Amino acid sequence: MEYFLELLLGGLTRGSIYALIALGYTMVYGIIELINFAHGEIYMIGAFTGLIVAGLLTMLGFPGASILAIALVCAIVWAAAYGYTIEKIAYKPLRGAPRLSPLISAIGMSIFLQNYVMLSQTSDFLPFPELIPEFEFLKANNSIMSSSELVIVIVTILSCVGLSLFIKFTKLGKAMRATAQNRTMAMLVGINVDMVISATFIIGSSLAAVGGVLIASHVGQINYYIGFIAGIKAFTAAVLGGIGSIPGAMLGALVLGLTEAFATGYVSSDYEDVFAFCLLVLILIFRPAGIMGKEKTQKV
Amino acid sequence: MRIKLSLIVLCLAMVAMLAACGGEADKAEKKAEAPEPAGTIVLGVAGAHSGDLASYGLPTVNAAKLVVAKFNAAGGINGRQIEVVAQDDQCKPELATNAATKMVSDNVKIVLGHICSGATKAALPIYLDSEIVVISPSATNPPLTQSGDYVNFFRTIAPDDAQAALEVAFAKGLGLKNIAVIHDKGDYGKGFASFCKLFVENEAGMEVALFEGVTPGAVDYSAVVQKIKSSGADGVIFGGYHPEASKIVSSMRKKDIDIPFMSDDGVKDETFIKVAGKYAEGVYATGPMDFSGNPLFQEALAAHKKEFGTDPGPFFPEAYSAAIALLTAVQNAGSTDYAKVIEALHNNYVDTAVGKIKFDAKGDAEGVGFAIYQVQDGKYVEIK
């Protein structure tokens, strides 16, 4: 039973990690129907920014908790700037183009950013400091859940709930939903679509940056390539849950994380990916739009 | 009429070509029949000297030249000078057999090579039939020696499974009984882990608690770590590279699993210590023995720099040592007599760049190979 619980919590953590990244994918897709392959790289850049800032602050002798806070803020600002710029450079000029063009532009951006970080930083693995402090009440149960795992799960749930509320109740959220439904119509009623899309990229990138810092602190190492693998898994999670839907991304990520954890725990980690992707295929056979995705009638 | 004429011309041309070929063949035969310059011993060097893998083969040629120059400068072997003859196999088995056949027809009695295991395997039967002694600096495929098929084959590099054998013997020495063997599904890691699994199973009183592959680059390994814990393993052997090793070991230590963690050459890297930080303490890793302090190695290095102006490439120390071992054996045997040279290789210790070695009954060098290192105070320290 304890083993089951450990696997459950491990899977939950892994799912939350995927979810933090998947939220950005799903938001962008919901608005402009583009799979932003560079999103994983934004996550990686967020983690690198966190590392650099944390290193600097540690040298200057800041206390532990403030390092985490400042590193997070810097990572968010920096990553958001990247997200905004990428949209302006790589996607906006292609807004009227066939759907494949921005997709290829996204893949190009992803490759460019990976190599840029590799050349400007390093191709080696770097140690990432443990920024999340250990909580006293968890020390006894360290084997079940560590403080970093707890923080990741809580932050993910808060982000997901916060984002849902934001989209439901704020003016910008309403504008986002309108843009997602029909961009031309939204423009006609006076919504600044360019601004809405930029805001979407900024929010998505900020979430990725938070994820980058927290996850790197949990895992303890980063290099220029971490965004790619995490991005692929997060993308899978977003598709699983129904791309475009925010609760769907969360649910899809949790389902994926738990499947992987239980597949490893009860079968073999050799087949971890096999189970994860079999699940994806099965769900897409029975619900082609994903678990929470809405069947869209083809526009004529 | 015209067609007939052209046919005749064609036939003539073909005859002429045949004649030309015959001429070539005659010449080649004459060359082979020509008696060896009196008193010279020919050291054949076979390996990849062109193609993709040339960088693995050419350092061996340089090593052979340097060693031969050293022996010649000291008056040769029993007064006979030594000559190097190189044959290229590009690490391809089909070209390796050609190279071997040429060695046979050139009346070479001792060969340094080949470089790649596949090429070596293809060439060995030819050498065996013609009673030629072969010593490789780099062919690590275990059955080449362990099958016992080739009494004429020796090597100065440890076979692929030597690392695993050492690891399991060391685990046994630590008193471990139930070992979790984890790998990264890659050629190197999985190969190493499979050998470890085999050796653990063959060892009385030791068991494999778990044999699993993890996906390299995955965000975390907590599930597999929980599995290690619930399997009741008292030690972990990991086959793979340092990024996964540091993630697994950090995750284990964070979950208060304090059993020994042992790994391979891919983890014996300073980056591992840098990345895993305090969690790296106490981790064991096998790695090649350190022979950088060996005076003969330093001499070889200096000679290479002087002669070729660059640092030597891969397998240079092994090749340098193999050439010394082979020529010393000829010296001890008094001639290039097949049986005597083999006997000398088996029986006499010789000082080489990789240490003092002799060859065991199967042809593997004793005293060459791997050592166990442990992370102590942020550094790899050789133990035992």
Side-chain angles (χ1 to χ4, degrees), chain B residues 327-350:
Chain B
L327 293 179
T328 311
V330 173
Q331 203 159 29
N332 289 334
S335 70
T336 52
D337 183 81
Y338 181 62
K340 279 185 187 162
V341 172
I342 289 180
E343 205 187 309
L345 281 168
H346 282 306
N347 292 338
N348 301 326
Y349 272 104
V350 51

mmCIF file of all heavy atoms in Angstrom, chain B residues 327-350:
data_model
loop_
_atom_site.group_PDB
_atom_site.id
_atom_site.type_symbol
_atom_site.label_atom_id
_atom_site.label_comp_id
_atom_site.label_asym_id
_atom_site.label_seq_id
_atom_site.Cartn_x
_atom_site.Cartn_y
_atom_site.Cartn_z
ATOM 1 N N LEU B 327 57.584 -7.193 -29.977
ATOM 2 C CA LEU B 327 59.000 -7.224 -30.385
ATOM 3 C C LEU B 327 59.868 -7.820 -29.279
ATOM 4 O O LEU B 327 60.820 -8.548 -29.562
ATOM 5 C CB LEU B 327 59.461 -5.810 -30.752
ATOM 6 C CG LEU B 327 58.789 -5.245 -32.013
ATOM 7 C CD1 LEU B 327 59.267 -3.831 -32.298
ATOM 8 C CD2 LEU B 327 59.033 -6.140 -33.218
ATOM 9 N N THR B 328 59.496 -7.548 -28.011
ATOM 10 C CA THR B 328 60.249 -8.146 -26.915
ATOM 11 C C THR B 328 60.098 -9.671 -26.925
ATOM 12 O O THR B 328 61.045 -10.408 -26.659
ATOM 13 C CB THR B 328 59.768 -7.587 -25.559
ATOM 14 O OG1 THR B 328 59.719 -6.169 -25.659
ATOM 15 C CG2 THR B 328 60.697 -7.985 -24.443
ATOM 16 N N ALA B 329 58.873 -10.115 -27.263
ATOM 17 C CA ALA B 329 58.642 -11.560 -27.330
ATOM 18 C C ALA B 329 59.509 -12.187 -28.416
ATOM 19 O O ALA B 329 60.062 -13.264 -28.237
ATOM 20 C CB ALA B 329 57.164 -11.837 -27.593
ATOM 21 N N VAL B 330 59.611 -11.487 -29.542
ATOM 22 C CA VAL B 330 60.461 -11.993 -30.627
ATOM 23 C C VAL B 330 61.908 -12.060 -30.142
ATOM 24 O O VAL B 330 62.635 -13.033 -30.385
ATOM 25 C CB VAL B 330 60.349 -11.088 -31.872
ATOM 26 C CG1 VAL B 330 61.348 -11.506 -32.933
ATOM 27 C CG2 VAL B 330 58.938 -11.150 -32.440
ATOM 28 N N GLN B 331 62.305 -11.032 -29.420
ATOM 29 C CA GLN B 331 63.663 -10.983 -28.882
ATOM 30 C C GLN B 331 63.910 -12.179 -27.941
ATOM 31 O O GLN B 331 64.916 -12.870 -28.044
ATOM 32 C CB GLN B 331 63.823 -9.690 -28.106
ATOM 33 C CG GLN B 331 65.246 -9.225 -27.968
ATOM 34 C CD GLN B 331 65.301 -7.727 -27.662
ATOM 35 O OE1 GLN B 331 64.375 -7.175 -27.048
ATOM 36 N NE2 GLN B 331 66.352 -7.076 -28.081
ATOM 37 N N ASN B 332 62.909 -12.400 -27.044
ATOM 38 C CA ASN B 332 63.049 -13.503 -26.095
ATOM 39 C C ASN B 332 63.034 -14.854 -26.790
ATOM 40 O O ASN B 332 63.718 -15.784 -26.365
ATOM 41 C CB ASN B 332 61.929 -13.461 -25.054
ATOM 42 C CG ASN B 332 62.107 -12.298 -24.104
ATOM 43 O OD1 ASN B 332 63.228 -11.831 -23.892
ATOM 44 N ND2 ASN B 332 61.014 -11.817 -23.545
ATOM 45 N N ALA B 333 62.232 -14.953 -27.859
ATOM 46 C CA ALA B 333 62.137 -16.224 -28.569
ATOM 47 C C ALA B 333 63.367 -16.451 -29.442
ATOM 48 O O ALA B 333 63.631 -17.570 -29.858
ATOM 49 C CB ALA B 333 60.875 -16.231 -29.428
ATOM 50 N N GLY B 334 64.072 -15.382 -29.749
ATOM 51 C CA GLY B 334 65.267 -15.505 -30.574
ATOM 52 C C GLY B 334 64.972 -15.473 -32.056
ATOM 53 O O GLY B 334 65.871 -15.299 -32.869
ATOM 54 N N SER B 335 63.695 -15.635 -32.436
ATOM 55 C CA SER B 335 63.322 -15.585 -33.852
ATOM 56 C C SER B 335 61.838 -15.312 -33.931
ATOM 57 O O SER B 335 61.170 -15.146 -32.913
ATOM 58 C CB SER B 335 63.645 -16.916 -34.532
ATOM 59 O OG SER B 335 62.753 -17.896 -34.037
ATOM 60 N N THR B 336 61.306 -15.287 -35.150
ATOM 61 C CA THR B 336 59.867 -15.079 -35.286
ATOM 62 C C THR B 336 59.135 -16.408 -35.327
ATOM 63 O O THR B 336 58.024 -16.510 -35.843
ATOM 64 C CB THR B 336 59.545 -14.268 -36.556
ATOM 65 O OG1 THR B 336 60.199 -14.897 -37.656
ATOM 66 C CG2 THR B 336 59.987 -12.837 -36.426
ATOM 67 N N ASP B 337 59.742 -17.453 -34.788
ATOM 68 C CA ASP B 337 59.116 -18.773 -34.746
ATOM 69 C C ASP B 337 57.782 -18.696 -34.007
ATOM 70 O O ASP B 337 57.701 -18.215 -32.874
ATOM 71 C CB ASP B 337 60.056 -19.750 -34.047
ATOM 72 C CG ASP B 337 59.490 -21.149 -34.028
ATOM 73 O OD1 ASP B 337 59.612 -21.838 -35.044
ATOM 74 O OD2 ASP B 337 58.887 -21.526 -32.997
ATOM 75 N N TYR B 338 56.702 -19.180 -34.648
ATOM 76 C CA TYR B 338 55.324 -19.043 -34.172
ATOM 77 C C TYR B 338 55.157 -19.518 -32.727
ATOM 78 O O TYR B 338 54.769 -18.760 -31.837
ATOM 79 C CB TYR B 338 54.435 -19.842 -35.125
ATOM 80 C CG TYR B 338 52.965 -19.837 -34.840
ATOM 81 C CD1 TYR B 338 52.236 -18.648 -34.864
ATOM 82 C CD2 TYR B 338 52.288 -21.029 -34.576
ATOM 83 C CE1 TYR B 338 50.877 -18.654 -34.639
ATOM 84 C CE2 TYR B 338 50.923 -21.045 -34.349
ATOM 85 C CZ TYR B 338 50.223 -19.857 -34.377
ATOM 86 O OH TYR B 338 48.877 -19.869 -34.152
ATOM 87 N N ALA B 339 55.503 -20.766 -32.467
ATOM 88 C CA ALA B 339 55.268 -21.343 -31.141
ATOM 89 C C ALA B 339 56.088 -20.623 -30.075
ATOM 90 O O ALA B 339 55.606 -20.362 -28.971
ATOM 91 C CB ALA B 339 55.604 -22.832 -31.164
ATOM 92 N N LYS B 340 57.323 -20.293 -30.428
ATOM 93 C CA LYS B 340 58.212 -19.674 -29.438
ATOM 94 C C LYS B 340 57.753 -18.266 -29.079
ATOM 95 O O LYS B 340 57.817 -17.865 -27.910
ATOM 96 C CB LYS B 340 59.650 -19.633 -29.973
ATOM 97 C CG LYS B 340 60.367 -20.953 -29.813
ATOM 98 C CD LYS B 340 61.819 -20.813 -30.239
ATOM 99 C CE LYS B 340 62.527 -22.153 -30.250
ATOM 100 N NZ LYS B 340 63.762 -22.066 -31.051
ATOM 101 N N VAL B 341 57.292 -17.516 -30.074
ATOM 102 C CA VAL B 341 56.825 -16.155 -29.806
ATOM 103 C C VAL B 341 55.601 -16.203 -28.889
ATOM 104 O O VAL B 341 55.496 -15.455 -27.913
ATOM 105 C CB VAL B 341 56.504 -15.399 -31.116
ATOM 106 C CG1 VAL B 341 55.836 -14.073 -30.814
ATOM 107 C CG2 VAL B 341 57.778 -15.178 -31.917
ATOM 108 N N ILE B 342 54.685 -17.114 -29.185
ATOM 109 C CA ILE B 342 53.476 -17.233 -28.356
ATOM 110 C C ILE B 342 53.853 -17.594 -26.924
ATOM 111 O O ILE B 342 53.341 -17.017 -25.951
ATOM 112 C CB ILE B 342 52.520 -18.291 -28.955
ATOM 113 C CG1 ILE B 342 51.907 -17.740 -30.240
ATOM 114 C CG2 ILE B 342 51.433 -18.684 -27.964
ATOM 115 C CD1 ILE B 342 50.956 -18.664 -30.930
ATOM 116 N N GLU B 343 54.777 -18.529 -26.794
ATOM 117 C CA GLU B 343 55.226 -18.947 -25.466
ATOM 118 C C GLU B 343 55.830 -17.762 -24.717
ATOM 119 O O GLU B 343 55.547 -17.544 -23.534
ATOM 120 C CB GLU B 343 56.280 -20.044 -25.645
ATOM 121 C CG GLU B 343 56.388 -20.968 -24.457
ATOM 122 C CD GLU B 343 57.571 -21.911 -24.629
ATOM 123 O OE1 GLU B 343 57.665 -22.544 -25.701
ATOM 124 O OE2 GLU B 343 58.402 -21.951 -23.717
ATOM 125 N N ALA B 344 56.636 -16.978 -25.423
ATOM 126 C CA ALA B 344 57.278 -15.821 -24.794
ATOM 127 C C ALA B 344 56.233 -14.802 -24.335
ATOM 128 O O ALA B 344 56.360 -14.206 -23.262
ATOM 129 C CB ALA B 344 58.259 -15.177 -25.761
ATOM 130 N N LEU B 345 55.192 -14.591 -25.147
ATOM 131 C CA LEU B 345 54.144 -13.627 -24.777
ATOM 132 C C LEU B 345 53.424 -14.084 -23.507
ATOM 133 O O LEU B 345 53.080 -13.281 -22.647
ATOM 134 C CB LEU B 345 53.134 -13.467 -25.920
ATOM 135 C CG LEU B 345 53.564 -12.572 -27.082
ATOM 136 C CD1 LEU B 345 52.627 -12.736 -28.261
ATOM 137 C CD2 LEU B 345 53.607 -11.111 -26.662
ATOM 138 N N HIS B 346 53.199 -15.411 -23.406
ATOM 139 C CA HIS B 346 52.497 -15.926 -22.234
ATOM 140 C C HIS B 346 53.347 -15.893 -20.976
ATOM 141 O O HIS B 346 52.833 -15.695 -19.886
ATOM 142 C CB HIS B 346 52.050 -17.374 -22.484
ATOM 143 C CG HIS B 346 50.824 -17.475 -23.335
ATOM 144 N ND1 HIS B 346 49.659 -16.828 -23.048
ATOM 145 C CD2 HIS B 346 50.581 -18.167 -24.481
ATOM 146 C CE1 HIS B 346 48.751 -17.096 -23.972
ATOM 147 N NE2 HIS B 346 49.303 -17.905 -24.866
ATOM 148 N N ASN B 347 54.644 -16.105 -21.125
ATOM 149 C CA ASN B 347 55.465 -16.374 -19.940
ATOM 150 C C ASN B 347 56.244 -15.199 -19.372
ATOM 151 O O ASN B 347 56.527 -15.186 -18.185
ATOM 152 C CB ASN B 347 56.453 -17.508 -20.250
ATOM 153 C CG ASN B 347 55.724 -18.820 -20.439
ATOM 154 O OD1 ASN B 347 54.606 -18.964 -19.951
ATOM 155 N ND2 ASN B 347 56.320 -19.744 -21.162
ATOM 156 N N ASN B 348 56.596 -14.243 -20.218
ATOM 157 C CA ASN B 348 57.492 -13.204 -19.722
ATOM 158 C C ASN B 348 56.770 -11.891 -19.474
ATOM 159 O O ASN B 348 56.010 -11.429 -20.311
ATOM 160 C CB ASN B 348 58.626 -12.960 -20.721
ATOM 161 C CG ASN B 348 59.423 -14.211 -20.965
ATOM 162 O OD1 ASN B 348 59.604 -15.031 -20.061
ATOM 163 N ND2 ASN B 348 59.865 -14.397 -22.199
ATOM 164 N N TYR B 349 57.042 -11.314 -18.311
ATOM 165 C CA TYR B 349 56.531 -9.971 -18.051
ATOM 166 C C TYR B 349 57.333 -8.977 -18.872
ATOM 167 O O TYR B 349 58.523 -9.151 -19.091
ATOM 168 C CB TYR B 349 56.680 -9.630 -16.562
ATOM 169 C CG TYR B 349 55.498 -10.073 -15.759
ATOM 170 C CD1 TYR B 349 55.574 -11.205 -14.947
ATOM 171 C CD2 TYR B 349 54.303 -9.363 -15.794
ATOM 172 C CE1 TYR B 349 54.480 -11.613 -14.203
ATOM 173 C CE2 TYR B 349 53.209 -9.763 -15.066
ATOM 174 C CZ TYR B 349 53.295 -10.889 -14.269
ATOM 175 O OH TYR B 349 52.214 -11.282 -13.540
ATOM 176 N N VAL B 350 56.654 -7.920 -19.322
ATOM 177 C CA VAL B 350 57.373 -6.900 -20.068
ATOM 178 C C VAL B 350 56.880 -5.521 -19.623
ATOM 179 O O VAL B 350 55.693 -5.331 -19.345
ATOM 180 C CB VAL B 350 57.203 -7.115 -21.598
ATOM 181 C CG1 VAL B 350 55.747 -7.263 -21.978
ATOM 182 C CG2 VAL B 350 57.830 -5.972 -22.381
#
